[in-house]
Amino acid sequence: MIATIKAEWRKNRFRPAFLVSSGFIAAITALLYAVTWYEATHAGSGDRSSVSLLTLYPDQFVNNVMGASFPFGAAMAIVLGALIAGSEYSWGTMKTTLTQRPGRLSMWAGRVVVFGAWMGIMTLILFVLGAAGSILVASFEGHAIVWRAALDIAKGIGAMWLILAVNGAIGLSLGVLVRHSAAAVGIGLIYVLAVELIAVRFIDNINSGAYKWIGDLFVGQNATALLQSFTSPAFGASVAPPIGAERRSWS
């Protein structure tokens, strides 16, 4: 098992898909801070009352970076999962791997462990870039640098890793079922960006919401509810989560 994990890590650590996704996540975080700062400091860029500099300071960076995990981070996780699982079938290397050992279960266990580790790396990239951006904004604006409690930061890291890992698992499953990376990527993106939203809306409207509990089981609903639990008065009036805390599947 350990040997399988090491082999999967050596194979995937320099894979362009992982490196590009990490850079994309970092760029999204930097863009989020840059756009928010510009809108908050330039009256002519839009409704300034809806954007506050307080959201960019270090004590709010956990709440701020959570917005990058869904749907952008989730979509990237699905793409990575589909590429990791589907490309082996597209290249025809799956049979070679299985004939040379280890077995199918050991191979997939190692692959899942490495994939989960990379989702953790992407999560840390988000938080490190978010913390750096908040320090930069606070220093530029002359604001005191005060951090959130370590427990709150740990909760944020855990929540974001969970969202990325679950959506990545969807991509892995699609790659195995479709056995083609490009088709799995397309199906995964359509699902997370359109199909799930339409399905949840349809289910919620059946019989005046009698089957809303079914819609509450979807990944997107739980991800949204989990993200909305990371907020504060600095972000203005909060929106009620789509599902209650007592029914949140991941709580």
Side-chain angles (χ1 to χ4, degrees), residues 13-25:
R13 61 180 175 176
F14 295 121
R15 195 167 181 169
F18 280 119
L19 301 179
V20 171
S21 64
S22 299
F24 177 80
I25 285 291

Side-chain angles (χ1 to χ4, degrees), residues 17-244:
F18 280 119
L19 301 179
V20 171
S21 64
S22 299
F24 177 80
I25 285 291
I28 286 293
T29 307
L31 182 63
L32 175 68
Y33 270 85
V35 171
T36 305
W37 174 82
Y38 184 85
E39 290 181 346
T41 55
H42 294 75
S45 61
D47 185 6
R48 187 172 181 176
S49 62
S50 64
V51 181
S52 174
L53 269 176
L54 297 177
T55 63
L56 299 179
Y57 293 144
D59 60 333
Q60 300 296 329
F61 93 96
V62 174
N63 302 334
N64 204 22
V65 299
M66 295 303 289
S69 64
F70 191 85
F72 298 109
M76 182 56 63
I78 287 178
V79 169
L80 277 177
L83 289 175
I84 291 299
S87 59
E88 297 285 350
Y89 294 99
S90 302
W91 297 336
T93 55
M94 179 62 71
K95 294 180 180 179
T96 303
T97 302
L98 294 176
T99 55
Q100 294 181 348
R101 297 183 179 180
R104 189 181 299 271
L105 291 179
S106 297
M107 181 199 68
W108 277 108
R111 188 164 296 175
V112 168
V113 169
V114 171
F115 185 80
W118 202 270
M119 294 300 99
I121 292 174
M122 290 177 61
T123 300
L124 292 178
I125 290 174
L126 267 169
F127 273 77
V128 169
L129 264 293
S134 64
I135 292 175
L136 184 63
V137 172
S139 300
F140 188 79
E141 298 293 334
H143 189 275
I145 298 177
V146 180
W147 296 102
R148 293 285 295 272
L151 180 59
D152 293 334
I153 297 176
K155 287 181 178 179
I157 292 175
M160 184 169 294
W161 176 84
L162 183 60
I163 292 173
L164 295 180
V166 170
N167 283 277
I170 295 175
L172 286 172
S173 301
L174 288 172
V176 173
L177 291 174
V178 180
R179 300 197 173 192
H180 193 280
S181 56
V185 167
I187 294 172
L189 291 178
I190 292 173
Y191 169 79
V192 73
L193 299 176
V195 173
E196 182 173 315
L197 300 177
I198 296 173
V200 169
R201 184 177 302 176
F202 175 75
I203 293 171
D204 289 350
N205 290 329
I206 296 177
N207 198 16
S208 301
Y211 299 98
K212 188 177 183 299
W213 63 273
I214 298 178
D216 292 346
L217 299 177
F218 281 79
V219 172
Q221 293 292 95
N222 284 274
T224 301
L226 188 59
L227 292 176
Q228 289 180 355
S229 66
F230 291 89
T231 188
S232 73
F235 289 82
S238 60
V239 180
I243 59 177

